Amino acid sequence: MARRPLPRILSSGSAQIARSREIARTAADSATDVLQPLITVSRGLRKLAATARAKWAATPKERRGPTLLLVAACVLVVALVPYGPLLALVTLMGAAAWKGRERPVVKTGPDDAEIARLKGLYEALVPYFSVPDDPSPLFAHGGDWSGAFGEFAFDEDGRPTRLSITYPPYFTDGEPAARARVEQLLHAKSGRGREYHFDWDQEGNRLVMSVLPALPTTIAAQRFVTVPGETVLGFTDGDAVQRTVPVVAADGTEDAPAVVWRTGPRSAEPHLLAVGQPGSGTTSLLRSIALQALPHGDVLIVEGGGTGEYACLTGRDGVLAVECGLSGALASLEWAAHETERRLIAANRARQAGHPAPEDTRRPLWILLDRPGVLGHLAAADGRPDPQELLQVPLRHGRTAQVTVVVAEQFDSTDTLSETVRNHTRARIVLGPATAEQIASVLGTAPHTTPTPQAPPGRGYARLGTGPVMRLQVPATPDPYDDATSEAHRQAVLALLPERRTAADAVAVEAAGPEAEGVGTEDFESAAFDTAALKKVSVSPPDPGPAPAHAPDPAPAPAHAPAPPRHEPDVAPVARYEGEPAPRHAPVPAEG
C-alpha cells in the first residue's frame, strides 16, 4: 500500500512556529519602544502612590483629619483656578516621568575587577588543591573558576569579604598544617589587616572564608548580670556562645554575647592563665576579675611587676592583701597554701560528722598573681623558694576548697611558668598581637581566624578547657589613678570598688603590737590561719581576755624596768594602707 505524504502543515510546522516567534518578538520590542514613555510614567505613578501611602501610614491618627482638610482645600483651589486641572495634570505627569525615569540596576554577577581577583585566587590555589594523577581536576591552571567558587561577596574596595570554595575530596583537610597553608594564602591574597574566619566543612569538602567585624571596645567595667561563681571574662562573636548579658555601652544598653567562666566545686576549669604582650591588657583583665569577685569573696593580689597597678584595691573590704615585694608575696602565698589546707580539713571533718561545711570554707578565695616570673627571678637571686612552688596546694585542691588561682604572665617569660601552673590552669587567655604559633602554644590549638598585627588593649582569644577558641574583648578596666585614663572609665571603676576600711580598722591592725611585724616563717607556718579573723579585727581591737589562772601577780617594777613580754596571737596577711610603712607580710591577729 503506497504511503500518503504528510500534510504540509505538519512538515513545515516547526519553521512556521520559529518564524511566528521571531515576528512576535520583533513586535514586542517595537511596542516597548513606542510605549516606553507610557511605561515610564506608569512606573513613576506607582512610586508616587507608594510614597503617598507610606507617608499616610506614618502620619499620626490625630493629624490625619487636618491633613485631609488641607488636601481638600488644595484640590478646591486648583479646581477654581483657570486652567488649574490641566496644569495639575501636566505637573503630575512630569513628576511621574521624573520619578520613573531610572530603573533599578540589579547586579547579576561580578564585574571585571572582581573576576580578575577571583581568577587570581583560583590560580593561587591550584598547587594546593590538585594532583597530577587527577583525570578531571577541579583546580587546574587556566581552568574555570566558577566551578570551584560558590557564593562570594566584595566590599567597596573590591576585596572579597566572603568566599565559598569547593575543594577535591583527596585534599588532606584533617591535617592542621595543610589547612594553615591554605588559610595563609587566602589571607595574603584577599588583603591583609583584616581578621578572617575559616569554616572547614570536611564532610562536604567546602571551605567558607568570611571577614569578621571588629569586636566593640565601648563596653567598660560594670556590674554584670551573673550569679555567684560566674565571671565575665569579656565579649565575643554572637555565634560563638549561646548566652548574652545586658550591658551599658557608649551607645546605650544592649545584649552582648559574653564569655562566662564558671568556678567553684563543679567547675571543670577552676584556674586561669592569661598571657600577653606588654600593654595587651592582662592587668586590666585581673582588675576586672577582682572587681567581679569582691562582692562574693576575698581577694589576695600579688603583683610581681611592682608598678602599682592595683593600688586602687589597697585597703578595700574583701581585699586581704596587695603585695608587691618578695617577702610579702612569699608570706601571703604561704598563708594561702595553709588556708587551703585548713579549708580542706574543716570541710572533711564537717562531712564526717554529717554537718554542712563551715561558712568560712564556702566563701570563695581568689589568688591573683601578676607576673610571677619577676618574683621567681628575685627569689632565685636571694636564695629563696620560687613563689610558684607555694601555689601547688591551691592549684591542686583549690576547686574543693573554693580557692581560685589566676596567673598573668608575658610571652617573654612563659618559660618561667612552673609545670604545676601549666597543668592546672585549664582556662586560657591570650591577649594582644601574637602569631598563630604563640597562640597555639598557650591555648593548645590554633584559632580559626587570622590574628591581626595590631590589636587594641584587651583584644585576644580565649579557650575554656577543651572547648573551641573564641575571640575575646576584655571590658575596659583601667587603673583609675592613672592620668591617661578617661573620666568615664575612671568613674566606672571607682563605682565598683568596695568601701575603704576606716581608721578604726587600722588601729585594730596596730593593736597586734610591733612584735607581730617580725613574725618569722616558722611561726607563720605553725599558725592556724583564718580569713574570718580579718573581719573580726576590722570591727574592734582584740580583747586581751582575762589573765591566766597560773600567772603570778606582777610585782611593781621600777620605771626603767622593761615591760614583760606578751604573747602574740596568730597572724594572717592583710592589705596595707596608703601612707603606712610596708611590713614584711602585714600580719593581723587571728581568732584565739
Side-chain angles (χ1 to χ4, degrees), residues 279-307:
S280 59
T282 55
T283 303
S284 296
L285 173 64
L286 263 62
R287 268 194 299 264
S288 176
I289 294 176
L291 293 177
Q292 297 181 60
L294 283 175
H296 310 290
D298 299 322
V299 177
L300 173 64
I301 302 175
V302 177
E303 181 187 1
T307 57

Side-chain angles (χ1 to χ4, degrees), residues 127-190:
Y128 300 91
F129 289 150
S130 64
V131 293
D133 299 336
D134 191 353
S136 58
L138 183 61
F139 284 82
H141 292 291
D144 184 14
W145 58 268
S146 60
F149 295 161
E151 53 178 323
F152 45 83
F154 295 85
D155 58 7
E156 59 276 3
D157 296 331
R159 298 186 299 177
T161 58
R162 183 177 179 84
L163 181 62
S164 176
I165 304 174
T166 302
Y167 55 87
Y170 51 76
F171 175 72
T172 57
D173 52 3
E175 299 179 1
R179 295 198 305 266
R181 288 193 296 267
V182 175
E183 293 174 1
Q184 183 180 5
L185 172 67
L186 293 175
H187 178 207
K189 294 294 183 180
S190 300

Side-chain angles (χ1 to χ4, degrees), residues 107-124 143-146 149-150 152-155 157-160 163 189:
K107 186 177 181 181
T108 58
D111 55 19
D112 295 339
E114 295 172 354
I115 291 176
R117 185 177 285 272
L118 290 175
K119 287 183 178 179
L121 288 174
Y122 178 83
E123 293 291 337
D144 184 14
W145 58 268
S146 60
F149 295 161
F152 45 83
F154 295 85
D155 58 7
D157 296 331
R159 298 186 299 177
L163 181 62
K189 294 294 183 180

Side-chain angles (χ1 to χ4, degrees), residues 197-211:
H197 178 263
F198 298 96
D199 184 12
W200 290 85
D201 182 10
Q202 299 184 12
E203 295 181 359
N205 300 321
R206 185 176 297 273
L207 169 62
V208 178
M209 181 193 70
S210 58
V211 177

Side-chain angles (χ1 to χ4, degrees), residues 331-400:
S332 298
L333 295 178
E334 190 173 359
W335 169 84
H338 285 286
E339 172 65 13
T340 305
E341 295 175 349
R342 184 196 68 81
R343 292 186 175 204
L344 291 174
I345 295 174
N348 186 31
R349 289 177 178 175
R351 284 193 295 268
Q352 291 180 356
H355 301 296
E359 183 65 27
D360 58 349
T361 63
R362 296 199 302 265
R363 182 172 176 83
L365 173 61
W366 292 74
I367 303 174
L368 309 183
L369 183 56
D370 193 357
R371 299 206 64 189
V374 178
L375 295 175
H377 179 74
L378 295 177
D382 199 19
R384 309 180 73 174
D386 191 344
Q388 297 185 55
E389 299 178 1
L390 302 174
L391 292 176
Q392 293 185 7
V393 175
L395 286 172
R396 292 177 178 176
H397 307 285
R399 178 169 54 184
T400 306

